[in-house]
Amino acid sequence: MIDCDGWLCHKHLEAVHVAGLSVEMMARQLGRFPSTVYRELRHNCCDNGGYSALVAQRRCDQPTRHPKQPKLTTDPELAAKVRERQVMRWSPHASSADLRVEGHRICAETIYAALL
C-alpha cells in the first residue's frame, strides 16, 4: 500500500495507469477500493482518454460551485430546538435521537460542527 494523499496519490495513480496495471492492482497499491479508483479515473480523464494527475489536482483545488449551507443555518426552527437541548445540556447524540422522534433529520455530527 502506498501512503499518499493529494498530489502524490494523483501522480502515483497516473504512473500506474500509464504502466497498464489493472484497476484492482492500482486500488490495492493505493489502499483504496476499486470503485474509488474507477471513479477517479472516470472523473479526471483527459481528452485522449488518459488520466492526468495535473487535471485531477486542479479539480481538487477548485472550490465547489454550490457549497452546501449548514442545516442549522437554513432551518431556524430546527436550530432553536437544538439550542433548547444544548441549554438542557443534552449531548448531540441524544438531541439527534430526540429530534428524529419529532420528525426532524439531523445527525449528531452536524450538531457537533455547529458547536465549533
Side-chain angles (χ1 to χ4, degrees):
M1 181 172 99
I2 303 295
D3 182 29
C4 63
D5 197 23
W7 174 247
L8 290 176
C9 198
H10 293 305
K11 283 301 285 181
H12 182 75
L13 186 56
E14 181 179 53
V16 295
H17 184 64
V18 167
L21 266 64
S22 70
V23 170
E24 288 76 16
M25 182 60 84
M26 289 183 230
R28 221 173 288 126
Q29 283 189 5
L30 295 169
R32 305 283 196 267
F33 288 103
S35 60
T36 303
V37 175
Y38 275 116
R39 187 172 44 248
E40 178 69 17
L41 292 172
R42 190 175 60 247
H43 288 181
N44 295 304
C45 66
C46 297
D47 294 335
N48 65 4
Y51 177 83
S52 169
L54 185 61
V55 169
Q57 190 61 45
R58 283 184 180 158
R59 287 184 179 154
C60 283
D61 292 340
Q62 290 175 348
T64 57
R65 288 179 287 191
H66 303 287
K68 185 176 178 184
Q69 294 293 316
K71 192 169 207 168
L72 293 176
T73 62
T74 59
D75 188 344
E77 177 190 350
L78 180 59
K81 290 182 179 195
V82 168
R83 272 193 299 280
E84 288 172 9
R85 285 156 180 80
Q86 285 175 334
V87 168
M88 294 187 290
R89 304 189 55 78
W90 286 28
S91 73
H93 286 279
S95 298
S96 172
D98 189 56
L99 289 165
R100 194 171 300 120
V101 170
E102 292 183 17
H104 295 285
R105 293 189 54 157
I106 186 166
C107 67
E109 289 77 13
T110 301
I111 297 172
Y112 276 114
L115 294 173
L116 299 176

